[in-house]
């Protein structure tokens, strides 16, 4: 274990740059914070390049089998590296996963995210897609960055549990249709009450931007438009909540 | 319309204090930001004491019938008063609603919130309860402050649409049971898959703290414990998402 004491240490300066999307994309790495996320990363086989702990942090011994460089820093530097108000004493530099666009299989279950902008919403949606046992998530243009610290934290580790791929959603919709997978788009107009949607084994659900919803071109290419009934006076549901309700309704008889 | 130019104006200083829970409770007032929330407040009959606009903000003329004091401030002071990064040019000082604890009616539908700590989660849950057409929401001890700016914004105006009452949840559970309302608690142990929960007209659903869930005493007093099946590898769902899935599942045949 090497110790860093100075703010001007080159490695520390490089890791702090990972707070920006530009540097994450350039380096192909991102930061994960806290023992829970690091445990999930290791369990899933994600590659950690560096693990940085605050002095006196008690490292899980089983992690020492992993091949990463281990560093310790004083509390003051940990605070600079952390993006949370209460750092948990451990941060890792993690390599981005390979993106495999050939995910679509017969009877697969997929979520297509069209321009969800809030990183907290995106992370929560990925956690929900994991809970709902989906086979993959596709992130369309205009969607928040998967590797943003807030997104990663909101997934609670689910980003390590299922394939998540940046993609052209119109292409994914075509691929799904070629595999006879029903493509459902959320919509407020001419949409069917989700409770009346037919039960299908495979499906691709498209959810959209917080304000504008799913873009028209994707709605038009979908097999069916669905909506959640509003029984009260709210204009709409939060997109993460709506995604959860729809994913469970579409699998109402799954065992 | 009166104009405020100075940071040391006594009214402005008082309004800024409403960023703290202590001052909100002392004064019985809180801040709401943006034209949408103010429109919802007016429509619902909430009482606005003051409306503060940034110079040149175009006020909706129909609002001028309302009895509030109107103030204008320069952009610099609006930024101080606002709790958001991008102020929307209008903020109001709103009176808290009367709390009516005698809400429980035969066949009513209620949500009991036991210690949800994140204001964003609380606001989203209230928005979801409104969408699901509930008759009231009860906030137990340890739950985030309803009048916190983040909570209010996350409700998207739903806090004006249904009764929301701070209460001793054990008492509410007893009241529900006396009215033959089925009380369902979320739980991970000895819980029934929510899809097998009987259909009932009235219900009270208890949801709990982000980490600890519903407290043991409330679980024990409930009629039934329910859980959402996890088909993938996530440990749990976000509490707002879980609340949405449960509220819609419990009303699977509502028209």
């Amino acid at each position: 274990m090497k110790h860093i004491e100075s703010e001007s240490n080159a490695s520390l300066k490089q890791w702090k740059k990972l707070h920006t999307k530009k540097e994450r994309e350039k380096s192909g790495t991102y930061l994960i914070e806290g023992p829970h996320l690091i445990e999930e990363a290791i369990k899933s086989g994600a590659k950690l390049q560096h693990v940085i702990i605050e002095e006196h942090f008690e490292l899980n011994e089983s992690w020492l089998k992993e091949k990463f460089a281990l560093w310790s820093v004083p509390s003051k530097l940990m605070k600079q590296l952390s993006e949370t108000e209460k750092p948990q004493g451990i941060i890792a530099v993690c390599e981005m996963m390979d993106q495999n666009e050939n995910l679509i299989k017969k009877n697969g279950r997929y979520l297509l995210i069209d321009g969800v902008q809030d990183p907290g919403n995106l992370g929560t949606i990925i956690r929900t897609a994991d809970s709902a046992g989906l086979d993959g998530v596709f992130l369309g243009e205009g969607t928040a960055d998967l590797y943003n610290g807030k997104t990663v934290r909101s997934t609670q580790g689910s980003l390590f549990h299922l394939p998540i791929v940046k993609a052209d959603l119109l292409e994914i919709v075509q691929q799904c249709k070629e595999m006879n997978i029903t493509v459902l788009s959320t919509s407020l107009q001419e949409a069917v009450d989700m409770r009346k949607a037919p039960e299908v084994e495979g499906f691709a659900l498209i959810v959209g931007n917080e304000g504008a919803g799913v873009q028209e071109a994707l709605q038009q290419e979908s097999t069916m438009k669905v909506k959640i009934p509003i029984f009260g006076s709210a204009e709409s549901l939060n997109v993460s909540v709506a995604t959860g309700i729809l994913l469970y309704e579409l699998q109402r008889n799954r065992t």
Side-chain angles (χ1 to χ4, degrees), chain A:
Chain A
M1 179 157 59
K2 287 179 250 179
H3 186 71
I4 297 175
E5 192 61 46
S6 157
E7 274 187 41
S8 53
N9 176 284
S11 296
L12 184 79
K13 279 162 84 176
Q14 169 58 27
W15 302 331
K16 280 200 270 185
K17 283 189 193 162
L18 297 176
H19 294 167
T20 69
K21 183 178 176 185
K22 189 180 158 194
E23 194 63 25
R24 289 193 294 268
E25 293 190 340
K26 196 173 136 195
S27 65
T29 63
Y30 63 106
L31 299 175
I32 58 176
E33 289 201 42
H36 174 67
L37 276 177
I38 289 169
E39 174 80 27
E40 292 294 319
I42 290 174
K43 275 202 289 188
S44 72
K47 189 156 177 229
L48 303 184
Q49 293 183 346
H50 303 274
V51 170
I52 304 107
I53 59 173
E54 197 173 315
E55 290 164 304
H56 314 304
F57 181 89
E58 282 198 34
L59 205 64
N60 186 327
E61 281 194 20
S62 69
W63 297 350
L64 295 175
K65 293 176 303 205
E66 305 294 321
K67 284 185 190 157
F68 50 70
L70 185 60
W71 308 77
S72 75
V73 297
S75 160
K76 187 186 70 168
L77 297 188
M78 181 55 85
K79 279 199 184 108
Q80 292 179 9
L81 190 55
S82 169
E83 291 175 283
T84 63
E85 276 176 38
K86 289 179 192 162
Q88 296 177 70
I90 182 164
I91 291 183
V93 176
C94 187
E95 288 184 17
M96 291 180 185
M97 293 153 272
D98 276 339
Q99 296 217 340
N100 174 6
E101 293 210 27
N102 299 315
L103 264 183
I104 314 285
K105 287 171 298 187
K106 195 160 173 266
N107 292 331
R109 298 173 173 106
Y110 306 100
L111 181 67
L112 280 56
I113 304 180
D114 177 34
V116 166
Q117 281 179 317
D118 180 77
N121 278 341
L122 177 60
T124 304
I125 290 174
I126 289 169
R127 179 178 173 192
T128 307
D130 178 18
S131 302
L134 299 197
D135 298 302
V137 174
F138 296 94
L139 309 180
E141 211 183 320
T143 300
D145 182 21
L146 174 61
Y147 299 109
N148 174 300
K150 182 81 199 284
T151 311
V152 172
R153 288 194 301 283
S154 301
T155 69
Q156 299 258 328
S158 286
L159 86 161
F160 299 116
H161 298 162
L162 75 173
I164 305 167
V165 180
K166 272 200 224 177
D168 177 334
L169 298 188
L170 277 167
E171 274 179 29
I172 300 297
V173 166
Q174 293 314 329
Q175 287 179 34
C176 286
K177 284 159 83 176
E178 281 160 24
M179 299 291 262
N180 283 320
I181 291 172
T182 304
V183 179
L184 301 119
S185 169
T186 52
S187 176
L188 298 175
Q189 273 127 34
E190 296 163 44
V192 174
D193 183 329
M194 55 151 193
R195 299 173 297 175
K196 298 203 173 97
E199 270 188 75
V200 284
E201 190 158 343
F203 63 82
L205 174 68
I206 317 176
V207 298
N209 174 269
E210 288 88 345
V214 175
Q215 58 177 286
E216 194 56 37
L218 283 168
Q219 286 194 35
Q220 278 177 6
E221 289 302 313
S222 64
T223 323
M224 177 179 257
K225 297 184 206 173
V226 288
K227 68 177 175 193
I228 299 171
I230 302 282
F231 300 122
S233 312
E235 282 169 23
S236 63
L237 284 152
N238 165 281
V239 63
S240 328
V241 176
T243 303
I245 295 171
L246 287 161
L247 289 178
Y248 275 84
E249 182 61 31
L250 290 172
Q251 304 188 85
R252 59 183 88 101
N253 291 314
R254 180 170 177 180
T255 48

